[in-house]
Amino acid sequence: MIDSTGYWRRFEQQRVSRRRALAGGGAFVVASTGIALVGCGSSTKQATPTETPIRGGILHLGTSLPLSAGLDPQTERGTGLQIFPRVYGYSLHVDPADGSVIYDHASSVEQVDDLTYIISLHPDIHFQDIAPVNARAVSAADAARSILRFRDNPFVADRAWFTSILDRAEAADATTLRVTTKRPNVYSLGEIGGIASGAILPVELIDASTNLDAMGIGSGPFAIASASDPSDVRLARNDGYFRAPIPYLDAMEWRIFADNGAKVEAFKLRDIDVMPNRDKNEAQAIHAFSDQVDVNSEPSLSTISLGLRVDKAPFNDLRFRMALDEAIDRDALIRDVAFGEGDVPGPVNPHLAAGFWSLPNEEIVAAQRGTMSVAERRADVQKLLAAAAAMDTSFKLQVADVPQLVDVASVVKQQLQQAGIVVELEVLDLLTWFSNFRRGTFDATLISHLPYESPDAPTRFYHSRGPEDTKNPFGFADAAIDALIERSWGERDRTARQQTLLEAQRKMIEARPMIQLFTGIGYSSAWRSVRNRKPELYGSLAQYNYDQWLASP
């Protein structure tokens, strides 16, 4: 049996230790398939032991970051990542900090051999009372069909485990889900319980190929009441939720503002209760606005990087890629874009699992020649460019038309040009950028990565079959790196897997198909009338906190 503790009890036990483990610096985050909010946390007023949650009220949340694909849990990678986890149920979750299992709809999980997982579901959990599902019990068939829908969904970009590792997902009986893999893979439960891949949809909607962009039926604490994309989404309490009396709120409403200024003004007027902050400056200004506002921060699990087509000139010359790497002044980039709070990452984010999977900072900085002065690095860049016969080379850098990303790209362009490398920014709408990225239609591209919750996702970018198990978007292939990544998939001993991935990351940094820039911090603000926000919950776990309630201001 796989060890697990109670869902909410485990969350409560982790609050203090998690805050201590994750104290640190950064800026904003957007996702490569849309714009995704990252968790924030560490100063909200929580309910005291003498406070009794108040039932009722509407929690208003505001953001200027849009939905990327509506409310379909399998395809949405924008603000909907905060919304749909409150609509759908999950069999389980995996804590990104330590890989432990947290049960949701599952009552037990058993790994019977290297390839087979048996997940037992509670028999008394029901979908929301909405036609055509009409409050029937959630079954293993729903969970199995949801997994297969994710595997076969052409609009899903991150399904490598489902297409290359998953063999079968089937219902052994009404409450028993059997998942079989083609080969051992230590990340299997994380994929089964992922925030997108793990959402349980009713088979009625799957069979009917129902468009879930603005509707859906789940077994979570809230039901979709209305969704006026791209501006407003309202969720209403599901009175049939199996963890009653949760949720306490009558409803949650998201307002998506056309610009950041309008969002901030609405917050000041108390038209919204909670909002993400664009950056540290906005967070500080909001904190100074009222002593009834709490501002929270959390190290981001996302990173910003440059992706290079290493099978095309001039990027096919390692010396040119080294010149690009050395020409970038990360300290200045973090100062100018991340307000001095960023960290320099390697292939795996140092914020993940308190740095367990990441190379030591000093090793990363040394590999990027960060110990040299700017003048020394620029002199070395000139030597590398001359050796690569690339003194007069220019290239286009694609970037999605998102203000924060354009800001980063502009600073990178300026730094490269100061080192004698000419760059032209090619600003594209988000969908065009993403389409180009998936097809590898670029010379160089600025990537804002999703907040990956395991080392598998970021290292797959260096595998010859890439993150989608099809082809590498950078035209990169290295047999030694492939072998190390694939070896890590079967290493259940955490320390052994760590050493394998560290060895792989050293080779990744040397090859430089992707140049890491920085990782940051997310900020959010809330009026103190919002209780039990638990912003310190780590990664996607923050989206499964369903017991907020509203007190009098």
Side-chain angles (χ1 to χ4, degrees):
M1 300 291 288
I2 292 176
D3 185 36
S4 179
T5 59
Y7 188 76
W8 294 110
R9 182 178 66 185
R10 178 174 173 79
F11 274 179
E12 290 300 320
Q13 290 171 342
Q14 289 176 338
R15 285 173 54 196
V16 175
S17 61
R18 187 60 41 74
R19 181 182 293 124
R20 290 173 180 166
L22 295 178
F28 63 84
V29 173
V30 293
S32 60
T33 52
I35 307 173
L37 211 54
V38 199
C40 304
S42 79
S43 72
T44 296
K45 181 176 180 178
Q46 301 294 328
T48 67
T50 59
E51 284 187 299
T52 300
I54 298 172
R55 192 171 179 84
I58 301 172
L59 180 62
H60 297 92
L61 304 98
T63 180
S64 58
L65 305 179
L67 299 169
S68 68
L71 295 178
D72 188 323
Q74 295 187 350
T75 58
E76 169 62 18
R77 295 296 183 271
T79 287
L81 283 167
Q82 286 193 320
I83 302 173
F84 69 69
R86 292 166 166 84
V87 174
Y88 296 94
Y90 295 77
S91 59
L92 56 89
H93 310 295
V94 171
D95 190 324
D98 58 16
S100 57
V101 175
I102 303 170
Y103 294 158
D104 188 344
H105 285 15
S107 59
S108 66
V109 179
E110 181 180 5
Q111 185 174 352
V112 297
D113 56 42
D114 285 345
L115 305 179
T116 308
Y117 300 83
I118 301 296
I119 301 172
S120 298
L121 302 179
H122 287 288
D124 56 350
I125 298 176
H126 295 260
F127 284 111
Q128 295 143 9
D129 193 4
I130 303 171
V133 184
N134 300 322
R136 70 165 176 80
V138 176
S139 72
D142 298 304
R145 289 290 301 283
S146 297
I147 290 172
L148 299 180
R149 180 182 186 265
F150 189 90
R151 181 198 64 187
D152 299 332
N153 194 328
F155 300 107
V156 172
D158 49 356
R159 52 189 174 130
W161 180 88
F162 294 83
T163 58
S164 63
I165 303 296
L166 175 65
D167 184 20
R168 296 188 305 277
E170 54 198 350
D173 57 43
T175 60
T176 305
L177 171 66
R178 180 190 296 269
V179 178
T180 308
T181 60
K182 297 174 184 176
R183 57 176 181 252
N185 187 280
V186 295
Y187 303 108
S188 293
L189 287 178
E191 298 289 351
I192 294 168
I195 191 169
S197 56
I200 301 175
L201 284 63
V203 294
E204 291 89 339
L205 300 189
I206 297 173
D207 286 342
S209 299
T210 305
N211 187 319
L212 301 180
D213 289 350
M215 68 83 63
I217 303 171
S219 48
F222 292 92
I224 299 171
S226 62
S228 177
D229 182 25
S231 57
D232 296 283
V233 176
R234 177 186 173 93
L235 304 183
R237 181 174 58 231
N238 171 23
D239 288 322
Y241 185 55
F242 76 107
R243 287 197 178 96
I246 294 171
Y248 302 112
L249 297 167
D250 287 337
M252 300 180 73
E253 293 184 353
W254 279 262
R255 290 180 59 189
I256 301 173
F257 295 87
D259 64 82
N260 208 61
K263 176 203 69 178
V264 171
E265 186 61 26
F267 183 85
K268 289 180 177 179
L269 293 172
R270 304 201 72 157
D271 291 338
I272 56 176
D273 304 300
V274 181
M275 68 173 180
N277 296 122
R278 184 185 189 276
D279 50 41
K280 177 183 177 181
N281 281 2
E282 180 182 289
Q284 289 179 335
I286 288 296
H287 189 264
F289 172 73
S290 173
D291 62 5
Q292 294 302 305
V293 172
D294 283 304
V295 173
N296 313 112
S297 61
E298 184 80 17
S300 170
L301 292 182
S302 185
T303 56
I304 309 291
S305 66
L306 293 181
L308 311 173
R309 283 297 306 207
V310 299
D311 54 347
K312 298 180 180 179
F315 306 104
N316 58 351
D317 192 316
L318 177 58
R319 293 167 297 187
F320 185 77
R321 303 199 298 274
M322 292 175 63
L324 293 180
D325 200 1
E326 289 189 34
I328 296 171
D329 184 348
R330 270 83 171 179
D331 291 339
L333 186 63
I334 291 169
R335 181 194 66 223
D336 296 340
V337 180
F339 301 95
E341 293 189 319
D343 289 311
V344 179
V348 176
N349 193 324
H351 295 161
L352 177 63
F356 182 80
W357 303 109
S358 174
L359 290 168
N361 177 261
E362 59 271 18
E363 191 171 339
I364 295 170
V365 172
Q368 298 166 343
R369 307 296 191 268
T371 56
M372 299 166 59
S373 69
V374 173
E376 289 173 326
R377 289 206 307 272
R378 287 179 180 171
D380 201 41
V381 166
Q382 295 304 305
K383 294 176 183 177
L384 289 166
L385 292 176
M391 291 295 291
D392 299 319
T393 300
S394 63
F395 65 89
K396 291 183 178 181
L397 173 60
Q398 292 187 9
V399 57
D401 190 10
V402 176
Q404 297 99 317
L405 291 184
V406 174
D407 288 348
V408 175
S410 298
V411 175
V412 170
K413 172 185 175 179
Q414 182 183 42
Q415 290 187 356
L416 293 178
Q417 292 192 159
Q418 288 172 343
I421 302 170
V422 179
V423 179
E424 177 186 346
L425 293 188
E426 188 176 6
V427 181
L428 306 172
D429 69 84
L430 193 59
L431 290 179
T432 300
W433 177 89
F434 181 58
S435 176
N436 284 358
F437 175 73
R438 289 187 73 180
R439 292 183 290 118
T441 309
F442 57 84
D443 293 324
T445 189
L446 187 78
I447 308 166
S448 181
H449 295 270
L450 286 166
Y452 306 126
E453 298 197 345
S454 82
D456 184 43
T459 53
R460 277 183 180 266
F461 279 90
Y462 297 84
H463 193 278
S464 60
R465 292 184 61 83
E468 298 184 41
D469 194 47
T470 52
K471 63 178 181 179
N472 188 281
F474 315 124
F476 176 73
D478 185 297
I481 292 176
D482 281 0
L484 289 167
I485 293 173
E486 291 172 18
R487 187 172 88 194
S488 74
W489 295 342
E491 291 183 306
R492 298 203 173 276
D493 182 272
R494 203 164 181 256
T495 300
R497 185 168 14 126
Q498 176 200 48
Q499 295 306 307
T500 296
L501 289 173
L502 292 180
E503 182 181 350
Q505 288 178 77
R506 293 184 179 101
K507 294 181 181 297
M508 294 169 187
I509 286 182
E510 290 176 5
R512 293 175 170 86
M514 191 162 56
I515 295 175
Q516 304 297 334
L517 300 180
F518 69 94
T519 181
I521 277 206
Y523 287 88
S524 69
S525 298
W527 289 98
R528 287 187 177 170
S529 55
V530 182
R531 295 290 202 268
N532 278 355
R533 281 185 64 226
K534 301 178 183 176
E536 71 279 1
L537 290 176
Y538 192 40
S540 62
L541 297 187
Q543 313 315 329
Y544 310 125
N545 172 27
Y546 306 141
D547 60 350
Q548 300 99 324
W549 55 277
L550 296 173
S552 299

